[in-house]
Amino acid sequence: MSRYTGASPRVKAIVDRRAAGRCEKCGKATASQLHHRRPRGMGGTRRESTNEASALLALCEPCHRFIETAARDLSRSNGWLVRQNSDPLTMPVLYRGRRAWLDDAGQVDYCTHLTRMMLHDNVYGDYEQCADCDHQFTTDGGPI
């Protein structure tokens, strides 16, 4: 018997409530798939935090496919994917066009300063620091 490595029904309900039925990337289409910001890897994961609300996004199928296949570097830059050694709670995400942090209770905390993140590959400028959240951004809003 294989072990279940996905999100619990409680966590799925938190993410569904946060998404309100809309894709958490584009904000327009109906969310139909659950995406792990920190990939589970082959055979799943034993790290419980990988299946917490901060590590999950409700996405439409085209956005999910885009994140997983078309632009891995862009997906990491925008927080839709985070590296295995990163904590999704501390990694900002481009959430419906605005920089935000997701928590495990289903809250979205938007950065009130530089809210645009890198929307296209290789859009980098001079660096500056967000005064309130201590995260560094390029002058066009993209992360370092």
Side-chain angles (χ1 to χ4, degrees):
M1 182 174 176
S2 63
R3 64 184 170 87
Y4 179 71
T5 63
S8 70
R10 178 191 65 80
V11 172
K12 286 181 184 178
I14 290 170
V15 174
D16 288 344
R17 193 168 38 254
R18 180 182 71 207
R22 293 185 2 229
C23 175
E24 293 185 287
K25 178 184 174 293
C26 71
K28 297 175 181 152
T30 300
S32 60
Q33 299 180 359
L34 196 61
H35 166 69
H36 286 82
R37 294 176 63 205
R38 183 171 55 210
R40 292 179 289 176
M42 298 296 284
T45 183
R46 294 187 187 278
R47 293 170 72 179
E48 291 182 19
S49 62
T50 298
N51 290 306
E52 291 296 334
S54 62
L56 301 170
L57 291 170
L59 301 173
C60 64
E61 189 274 331
C63 285
H64 198 190
R65 185 179 50 228
F66 176 83
I67 288 169
E68 293 288 356
T69 61
R72 303 279 293 184
D73 289 339
L74 180 63
S75 295
R76 282 192 187 95
S77 295
N78 285 321
W80 302 317
L81 286 175
V82 299
R83 297 195 183 276
Q84 288 295 330
N85 62 348
S86 298
D87 181 358
L89 271 171
T90 65
M91 301 299 296
V93 62
L94 185 62
Y95 188 87
R96 297 179 179 158
R98 295 178 60 197
R99 181 182 292 275
W101 288 262
L102 307 177
D103 72 15
D104 292 334
Q107 300 299 308
V108 179
D109 182 24
Y110 292 102
C111 176
T112 58
H113 291 88
L114 300 171
T115 57
R116 291 181 305 124
M117 293 176 78
M118 188 173 76
L119 297 176
H120 306 287
D121 281 326
N122 301 320
V123 181
Y124 292 101
D126 296 322
Y127 303 119
E128 57 187 67
Q129 189 89 15
C130 178
D132 280 354
C133 64
D134 282 340
H135 284 86
Q136 292 184 341
F137 304 84
T138 59
T139 54
D140 69 345
I144 292 176

